[in-house]
Amino acid sequence: MTWIKFVAGALFGMGMFLFPVGGGEGFSTPVGVLTEWLEKLITANVPWFLYLLVALSALGALVSRFYLPDFIAKRSWLAGLFTISWPYLLTRLVALFVIICVGAEVGPECVRSADVGGSMVGLSQTLVALAFSLSFVLPFLTDTGIMEFTGVLLKPLIRPLFHVPGRASVDLIASWLASSNTAVLITAGQYNSGYYSRREAATIMTNFSLVSIPFCMVVAGTLHVSNLFPLLYLTVTAVGLLLAVLCVRIAPLATVAEDYRGEPQLKEEVPQGASLFSWAVAAALERAEKFRLSLAIKVGLEMAVGILFDLIPIVIAWGTIGTLLVNETPVFQWIAYPMGLYMWAIGIPDAFTLAPATLVGFIDMFIPALITNAEAPENIRFFISALSLVQIIYLTEVGSIIVKSDVGLDVKRLFVVFLERTLVAIPLLWMVTKFFVG
């Protein structure tokens, strides 16, 4: 029975997250297809669901600030959703304001426009579908033994290079074929279960959550460099892995505490006398033995509710504020001036014009592609495409999940990691661009 749980669970989990479906711009995974179907279903039949969700999230937290009902107080995971700090309460109220403006078409035009509030509401509808499709499928990838099996086999390679367990390779593959927020959610779940330390989880989230192949295709298409896609993705992957090797060895990632949430559960050490493969199988079967469908459904439900009530208001509020700063103010022109000097010193043409595109990716990784002139030379468009894809950390999705995961990285430290990756990546990417693109 244990063998059946391991093999069937592993095949189903890997198939849903990692098996490529379709081709060209239609490339996806079964989880991606399920998410897209759920998004269309929800949008067509319950378009009010997102608005009700954000309203309950904000008003529930506001009421709980002054009075916490017993039915919430007695359930720790439910209490955690509504007993929040003042900054996060303010975030939920801002999100409520945004969806009222968008839904009722009232309030400032700059907030409810399709490029600002409307864009964040649209992104959140996708996250609602992702919450339902991901949360109930994820345990088959993480809890049936495949991560233990892969972790033991790949530890001799992954641990010395990146200072993380071998099982982190599953997170990396999931982001390549599914999405970066999928990989971050996998990592958060593994950290909460005691399989990663705080430092390991922070490292994996900020370095291994490379953007998916489909999203790279979208960025390449937006900047009209689809003809260079093989070179683009190879460059993003190679530079991304080099950045991971470097960033894990310097602050702030290197200074994050090694403590665990609860008792450490990781068992990748191979006993003396055992072969690597036999121990990988033994570790996988031990984990599969503990898998219960009822527990997976319970954990999946809690995870889905957490994403719906906790993460979506952050995406709407922070994403709207960040996009307003980019579209309506010269703030990024000012703060990007030192980056312009840096690129000018390297020899990148139009450095000061391009400088804001190097920093706005911290808000959302698609913004650099949107603000870059489509008529710019091909080498510039290739360079900006690659840079936006290796930066990884952006507040509208991945950054929000990382901050809420409590892995020792607040927004300030996240920005430092983002800046480190950007400063190191710029000369590397420009060398590739000069040599291969011209």
Side-chain angles (χ1 to χ4, degrees):
M1 183 63 180
T2 302
W3 269 100
I4 294 175
K5 284 200 290 186
F6 168 50
V7 174
L11 288 176
F12 178 73
M14 289 190 298
M16 289 296 290
F17 282 96
L18 309 179
F19 186 77
V21 176
E25 293 187 0
F27 177 93
S28 187
T29 61
V31 161
V33 173
L34 177 60
T35 300
E36 184 178 354
W37 177 77
L38 284 174
E39 181 183 1
K40 291 179 179 177
L41 183 68
I42 293 171
T43 304
N45 295 283
V46 282
W48 44 264
F49 181 74
L50 176 66
Y51 300 90
L52 177 62
L53 183 70
V54 175
L56 286 174
S57 175
L59 298 177
L62 185 63
V63 170
S64 298
R65 168 60 59 175
F66 303 101
Y67 169 72
L68 189 65
D70 287 343
F71 78 93
I72 293 179
K74 291 178 180 178
R75 295 166 175 81
S76 58
W77 68 275
L78 196 57
L81 293 177
F82 294 106
T83 54
I84 57 176
S85 64
W86 278 108
Y88 282 109
L89 174 58
L90 181 60
T91 295
R92 293 190 185 186
L93 293 174
V94 170
L96 179 60
F97 172 74
V98 172
I99 64 164
I100 290 174
C101 290
V102 173
E105 297 185 356
V106 297
E109 173 62 27
C110 61
V111 173
R112 58 187 171 92
S113 69
D115 294 334
V116 184
S119 175
M120 292 306 112
V121 169
L123 173 61
S124 296
Q125 289 173 331
T126 301
L127 286 177
V128 169
L130 183 64
F132 285 114
S133 60
L134 180 66
S135 299
F136 296 101
V137 178
L138 187 59
F140 291 93
L141 183 67
T142 60
D143 298 346
T144 57
I146 188 60
M147 294 194 78
E148 281 72 14
F149 181 76
T150 307
V152 173
L153 289 181
L154 293 181
K155 181 192 172 186
L157 174 65
I158 300 295
R159 175 64 76 176
L161 277 178
F162 307 111
H163 298 177
V164 296
R167 66 196 292 120
S169 57
V170 176
D171 304 58
L172 180 60
I173 296 170
S175 68
W176 274 345
L177 294 180
S179 66
S180 52
N181 50 18
T182 295
V184 172
L185 288 168
I186 291 174
T187 305
Q190 293 291 286
Y191 166 65
N192 290 330
S193 300
Y195 289 95
Y196 295 141
S197 70
R198 193 183 297 267
R199 183 198 58 77
E200 290 167 348
T203 296
I204 296 165
M205 287 176 170
T206 53
N207 290 282
F208 273 48
S209 302
L210 295 175
V211 292
S212 66
I213 295 174
F215 185 81
C216 285
M217 291 177 174
V218 171
V219 171
T222 302
L223 286 175
H224 308 295
V225 290
S226 297
N227 58 308
L228 298 171
F229 182 77
L231 173 63
L232 175 66
Y233 201 76
L234 180 62
T235 301
V236 168
T237 302
V239 172
L241 293 176
L242 284 174
L243 290 174
V245 171
L246 172 65
C247 289
V248 300
R249 290 167 168 81
I250 59 177
L253 290 178
T255 59
V256 176
E258 285 284 0
D259 54 318
Y260 286 79
R261 177 164 286 180
E263 288 295 319
Q265 302 293 321
L266 191 64
K267 297 179 181 179
E268 290 184 352
E269 297 294 336
V270 181
Q272 189 172 3
S275 70
L276 190 67
F277 184 80
S278 65
W279 185 246
V281 172
L285 293 178
E286 182 181 351
R287 182 73 178 108
E289 174 64 29
K290 301 174 183 176
F291 179 78
R292 299 289 184 274
L293 185 59
S294 58
L295 180 60
I297 293 174
K298 177 178 179 294
V299 172
L301 179 61
E302 292 181 4
M303 181 179 179
V305 173
I307 294 174
L308 295 176
F309 280 82
D310 213 3
L311 177 61
I312 285 177
I314 294 175
V315 170
I316 294 175
W318 293 9
T320 299
I321 293 171
T323 308
L324 282 174
L325 288 176
V326 173
N327 293 347
E328 304 293 333
T329 75
V331 169
F332 277 93
Q333 292 284 348
W334 297 337
I335 63 177
Y337 188 80
M339 194 64 75
L341 289 174
Y342 178 61
M343 293 196 297
W344 172 80
I346 292 172
I348 299 175
D350 296 323
F352 293 96
T353 302
L354 296 176
T358 66
L359 294 182
V360 295
F362 187 62
I363 303 298
D364 186 274
M365 67 164 57
F366 197 51
I367 296 179
L370 294 177
I371 68 171
T372 300
N373 188 350
E375 303 300 321
E378 186 177 58
N379 61 345
I380 295 298
R381 288 181 277 118
F382 176 88
F383 171 74
I384 292 298
S385 298
L387 180 63
S388 68
L389 294 171
V390 301
Q391 289 173 320
I392 290 180
I393 303 162
Y394 54 107
L395 289 180
T396 51
E397 289 185 75
V398 170
S400 303
I401 301 172
I402 295 174
V403 172
K404 289 299 296 181
S405 298
D406 188 30
V407 294
L409 295 177
D410 55 16
V411 174
K412 182 175 70 174
R413 299 183 89 185
L414 266 184
F415 182 71
V416 172
V417 177
F418 170 87
L419 202 56
E420 289 172 348
R421 295 181 64 86
T422 302
L423 291 172
V424 175
I426 283 175
L428 294 175
L429 294 174
W430 186 244
M431 283 193 294
V432 173
T433 302
K434 287 283 289 182
F435 190 78
F436 290 103
V437 184

Short mmCIF file of all heavy atoms in Angstrom, two decimals, residues 377-411:
data_model
loop_
_atom_site.label_atom_id
_atom_site.label_comp_id
_atom_site.label_asym_id
_atom_site.label_seq_id
_atom_site.Cartn_x
_atom_site.Cartn_y
_atom_site.Cartn_z
N PRO A 377 16.18 49.50 -29.92
CA PRO A 377 16.99 48.49 -30.63
C PRO A 377 16.80 47.10 -30.03
O PRO A 377 16.50 46.96 -28.84
CB PRO A 377 18.42 48.99 -30.44
CG PRO A 377 18.29 50.46 -30.21
CD PRO A 377 17.00 50.64 -29.47
N GLU A 378 16.98 46.09 -30.86
CA GLU A 378 16.73 44.71 -30.43
C GLU A 378 17.59 44.32 -29.24
O GLU A 378 17.13 43.63 -28.34
CB GLU A 378 16.98 43.75 -31.59
CG GLU A 378 16.62 42.30 -31.27
CD GLU A 378 16.81 41.38 -32.45
OE1 GLU A 378 17.96 41.31 -32.97
OE2 GLU A 378 15.82 40.75 -32.89
N ASN A 379 18.85 44.78 -29.22
CA ASN A 379 19.71 44.40 -28.10
C ASN A 379 19.22 44.97 -26.78
O ASN A 379 19.31 44.33 -25.73
CB ASN A 379 21.17 44.80 -28.37
CG ASN A 379 21.34 46.31 -28.54
OD1 ASN A 379 20.37 47.05 -28.74
ND2 ASN A 379 22.58 46.77 -28.47
N ILE A 380 18.64 46.18 -26.80
CA ILE A 380 18.09 46.79 -25.59
C ILE A 380 16.86 46.02 -25.12
O ILE A 380 16.69 45.74 -23.93
CB ILE A 380 17.75 48.27 -25.83
CG1 ILE A 380 19.02 49.08 -26.12
CG2 ILE A 380 17.00 48.85 -24.63
CD1 ILE A 380 20.02 49.10 -24.98
N ARG A 381 16.00 45.66 -26.06
CA ARG A 381 14.79 44.92 -25.71
C ARG A 381 15.13 43.54 -25.15
O ARG A 381 14.51 43.06 -24.20
CB ARG A 381 13.87 44.80 -26.93
CG ARG A 381 13.20 46.12 -27.30
CD ARG A 381 12.27 45.99 -28.49
NE ARG A 381 12.98 46.07 -29.76
CZ ARG A 381 13.04 45.12 -30.67
NH1 ARG A 381 12.42 43.95 -30.45
NH2 ARG A 381 13.70 45.28 -31.80
N PHE A 382 16.15 42.89 -25.71
CA PHE A 382 16.60 41.60 -25.19
C PHE A 382 17.15 41.76 -23.78
O PHE A 382 16.84 40.97 -22.87
CB PHE A 382 17.67 41.01 -26.12
CG PHE A 382 18.26 39.72 -25.61
CD1 PHE A 382 17.67 38.50 -25.93
CD2 PHE A 382 19.40 39.71 -24.82
CE1 PHE A 382 18.20 37.30 -25.46
CE2 PHE A 382 19.94 38.53 -24.35
CZ PHE A 382 19.34 37.31 -24.67
N PHE A 383 17.96 42.78 -23.58
CA PHE A 383 18.58 43.03 -22.27
C PHE A 383 17.52 43.26 -21.19
O PHE A 383 17.59 42.67 -20.10
CB PHE A 383 19.52 44.24 -22.39
CG PHE A 383 20.06 44.72 -21.07
CD1 PHE A 383 21.04 44.01 -20.40
CD2 PHE A 383 19.58 45.89 -20.50
CE1 PHE A 383 21.54 44.46 -19.18
CE2 PHE A 383 20.07 46.35 -19.29
CZ PHE A 383 21.05 45.63 -18.63
N ILE A 384 16.54 44.11 -21.47
CA ILE A 384 15.49 44.40 -20.48
C ILE A 384 14.65 43.16 -20.22
O ILE A 384 14.26 42.87 -19.08
CB ILE A 384 14.61 45.58 -20.95
CG1 ILE A 384 15.42 46.88 -20.95
CG2 ILE A 384 13.39 45.73 -20.05
CD1 ILE A 384 15.93 47.31 -19.59
N SER A 385 14.37 42.39 -21.25
CA SER A 385 13.61 41.14 -21.07
C SER A 385 14.33 40.22 -20.10
O SER A 385 13.75 39.71 -19.13
CB SER A 385 13.43 40.43 -22.42
OG SER A 385 12.70 41.19 -23.32
N ALA A 386 15.61 39.99 -20.35
CA ALA A 386 16.38 39.07 -19.52
C ALA A 386 16.50 39.60 -18.09
O ALA A 386 16.36 38.83 -17.12
CB ALA A 386 17.77 38.87 -20.13
N LEU A 387 16.75 40.90 -17.94
CA LEU A 387 16.91 41.46 -16.60
C LEU A 387 15.63 41.32 -15.78
O LEU A 387 15.66 40.93 -14.61
CB LEU A 387 17.32 42.94 -16.70
CG LEU A 387 17.54 43.65 -15.34
CD1 LEU A 387 18.68 43.00 -14.58
CD2 LEU A 387 17.81 45.14 -15.56
N SER A 388 14.49 41.64 -16.38
CA SER A 388 13.23 41.56 -15.63
C SER A 388 12.93 40.13 -15.20
O SER A 388 12.28 39.90 -14.17
CB SER A 388 12.08 42.10 -16.49
OG SER A 388 11.82 41.26 -17.60
N LEU A 389 13.43 39.14 -15.95
CA LEU A 389 13.13 37.74 -15.65
C LEU A 389 14.07 37.14 -14.60
O LEU A 389 13.69 36.21 -13.90
CB LEU A 389 13.20 36.91 -16.93
CG LEU A 389 12.12 37.24 -17.98
CD1 LEU A 389 12.39 36.52 -19.29
CD2 LEU A 389 10.73 36.92 -17.46
N VAL A 390 15.29 37.68 -14.46
CA VAL A 390 16.20 37.14 -13.45
C VAL A 390 16.05 37.84 -12.10
O VAL A 390 16.55 37.35 -11.09
CB VAL A 390 17.68 37.21 -13.89
CG1 VAL A 390 17.91 36.43 -15.16
CG2 VAL A 390 18.16 38.64 -14.02
N GLN A 391 15.35 38.98 -12.07
CA GLN A 391 15.19 39.68 -10.80
C GLN A 391 14.30 38.91 -9.82
O GLN A 391 14.46 39.02 -8.61
CB GLN A 391 14.63 41.09 -11.05
CG GLN A 391 15.64 42.01 -11.71
CD GLN A 391 15.03 43.35 -12.12
OE1 GLN A 391 13.90 43.41 -12.60
NE2 GLN A 391 15.78 44.42 -11.96
N ILE A 392 13.33 38.16 -10.33
CA ILE A 392 12.49 37.22 -9.58
C ILE A 392 11.56 37.87 -8.57
O ILE A 392 10.36 37.60 -8.54
CB ILE A 392 13.34 36.15 -8.85
CG1 ILE A 392 13.97 35.19 -9.86
CG2 ILE A 392 12.50 35.37 -7.86
CD1 ILE A 392 14.83 34.11 -9.22
N ILE A 393 12.09 38.74 -7.70
CA ILE A 393 11.34 39.25 -6.54
C ILE A 393 10.46 40.43 -6.96
O ILE A 393 10.97 41.47 -7.39
CB ILE A 393 12.29 39.69 -5.42
CG1 ILE A 393 13.20 38.53 -5.03
CG2 ILE A 393 11.52 40.19 -4.21
CD1 ILE A 393 14.43 38.96 -4.27
N TYR A 394 9.14 40.29 -6.83
CA TYR A 394 8.24 41.39 -7.14
C TYR A 394 7.05 41.33 -6.18
O TYR A 394 6.53 40.27 -5.86
CB TYR A 394 7.78 41.35 -8.60
CG TYR A 394 7.18 40.04 -9.05
CD1 TYR A 394 5.81 39.92 -9.28
CD2 TYR A 394 7.98 38.92 -9.27
CE1 TYR A 394 5.25 38.73 -9.71
CE2 TYR A 394 7.43 37.73 -9.71
CZ TYR A 394 6.07 37.64 -9.92
OH TYR A 394 5.53 36.45 -10.33
N LEU A 395 6.66 42.50 -5.70
CA LEU A 395 5.73 42.58 -4.57
C LEU A 395 4.32 42.12 -4.90
O LEU A 395 3.61 41.65 -4.01
CB LEU A 395 5.69 44.01 -4.03
CG LEU A 395 6.94 44.47 -3.29
CD1 LEU A 395 6.76 45.90 -2.81
CD2 LEU A 395 7.26 43.56 -2.10
N THR A 396 3.88 42.25 -6.15
CA THR A 396 2.48 41.93 -6.43
C THR A 396 2.16 40.46 -6.22
O THR A 396 1.00 40.13 -5.98
CB THR A 396 2.10 42.33 -7.86
OG1 THR A 396 3.05 41.78 -8.77
CG2 THR A 396 2.06 43.83 -8.02
N GLU A 397 3.12 39.57 -6.30
CA GLU A 397 2.85 38.15 -6.06
C GLU A 397 3.91 37.53 -5.17
O GLU A 397 3.71 37.34 -3.99
CB GLU A 397 2.76 37.39 -7.39
CG GLU A 397 1.50 37.71 -8.20
CD GLU A 397 1.42 36.84 -9.44
OE1 GLU A 397 1.11 35.65 -9.31
OE2 GLU A 397 1.68 37.35 -10.54
N VAL A 398 5.07 37.22 -5.74
CA VAL A 398 6.11 36.48 -5.02
C VAL A 398 6.53 37.20 -3.74
O VAL A 398 6.63 36.60 -2.67
CB VAL A 398 7.33 36.25 -5.94
CG1 VAL A 398 8.52 35.72 -5.14
CG2 VAL A 398 6.98 35.28 -7.04
N GLY A 399 6.79 38.51 -3.84
CA GLY A 399 7.23 39.27 -2.67
C GLY A 399 6.20 39.25 -1.56
O GLY A 399 6.56 39.12 -0.37
N SER A 400 4.93 39.37 -1.91
CA SER A 400 3.87 39.34 -0.90
C SER A 400 3.85 37.99 -0.17
O SER A 400 3.71 37.94 1.05
CB SER A 400 2.51 39.58 -1.56
OG SER A 400 2.50 40.80 -2.26
N ILE A 401 4.00 36.91 -0.92
CA ILE A 401 4.00 35.58 -0.30
C ILE A 401 5.20 35.42 0.63
O ILE A 401 5.09 34.89 1.73
CB ILE A 401 4.02 34.48 -1.38
CG1 ILE A 401 2.80 34.62 -2.32
CG2 ILE A 401 4.01 33.10 -0.74
CD1 ILE A 401 2.85 33.71 -3.53
N ILE A 402 6.37 35.90 0.19
CA ILE A 402 7.58 35.78 1.00
C ILE A 402 7.43 36.54 2.31
O ILE A 402 7.76 36.02 3.39
CB ILE A 402 8.81 36.29 0.22
CG1 ILE A 402 9.08 35.39 -1.00
CG2 ILE A 402 10.04 36.33 1.12
CD1 ILE A 402 10.18 35.90 -1.91
N VAL A 403 6.95 37.77 2.24
CA VAL A 403 6.78 38.58 3.46
C VAL A 403 5.82 37.90 4.42
O VAL A 403 6.07 37.83 5.63
CB VAL A 403 6.29 40.00 3.10
CG1 VAL A 403 5.92 40.77 4.37
CG2 VAL A 403 7.37 40.76 2.33
N LYS A 404 4.70 37.40 3.91
CA LYS A 404 3.70 36.76 4.77
C LYS A 404 4.15 35.39 5.29
O LYS A 404 3.57 34.87 6.24
CB LYS A 404 2.38 36.62 4.02
CG LYS A 404 1.66 37.93 3.78
CD LYS A 404 1.30 38.63 5.07
CE LYS A 404 0.31 37.86 5.90
NZ LYS A 404 -0.05 38.55 7.15
N SER A 405 5.18 34.80 4.68
CA SER A 405 5.62 33.47 5.09
C SER A 405 6.49 33.49 6.33
O SER A 405 6.83 32.44 6.88
CB SER A 405 6.40 32.80 3.94
OG SER A 405 5.58 32.63 2.81
N ASP A 406 6.91 34.68 6.77
CA ASP A 406 7.69 34.82 8.00
C ASP A 406 8.99 34.02 7.95
O ASP A 406 9.31 33.25 8.85
CB ASP A 406 6.86 34.40 9.21
CG ASP A 406 7.55 34.73 10.54
OD1 ASP A 406 8.31 35.70 10.58
OD2 ASP A 406 7.34 33.98 11.52
N VAL A 407 9.75 34.20 6.85
CA VAL A 407 11.03 33.49 6.73
C VAL A 407 12.22 34.43 6.98
O VAL A 407 13.35 34.12 6.61
CB VAL A 407 11.17 32.84 5.34
CG1 VAL A 407 10.16 31.73 5.16
CG2 VAL A 407 11.05 33.87 4.22
N GLY A 408 11.95 35.55 7.63
CA GLY A 408 13.03 36.46 8.00
C GLY A 408 13.34 37.53 6.97
O GLY A 408 14.38 38.18 7.05
N LEU A 409 12.44 37.73 6.02
CA LEU A 409 12.65 38.76 4.99
C LEU A 409 11.46 39.71 4.95
O LEU A 409 10.38 39.34 4.51
CB LEU A 409 12.84 38.11 3.61
CG LEU A 409 14.08 37.24 3.41
CD1 LEU A 409 14.07 36.61 2.03
CD2 LEU A 409 15.36 38.04 3.61
N ASP A 410 11.67 40.93 5.45
CA ASP A 410 10.63 41.95 5.30
C ASP A 410 10.84 42.67 3.98
O ASP A 410 11.73 42.32 3.19
CB ASP A 410 10.67 42.93 6.48
CG ASP A 410 12.04 43.57 6.68
OD1 ASP A 410 12.88 43.50 5.74
OD2 ASP A 410 12.30 44.11 7.76
N VAL A 411 10.04 43.68 3.70
CA VAL A 411 10.12 44.37 2.41
C VAL A 411 11.49 45.01 2.21
O VAL A 411 12.06 44.95 1.11
CB VAL A 411 9.01 45.44 2.30
CG1 VAL A 411 9.18 46.26 1.02
CG2 VAL A 411 7.63 44.78 2.31
#
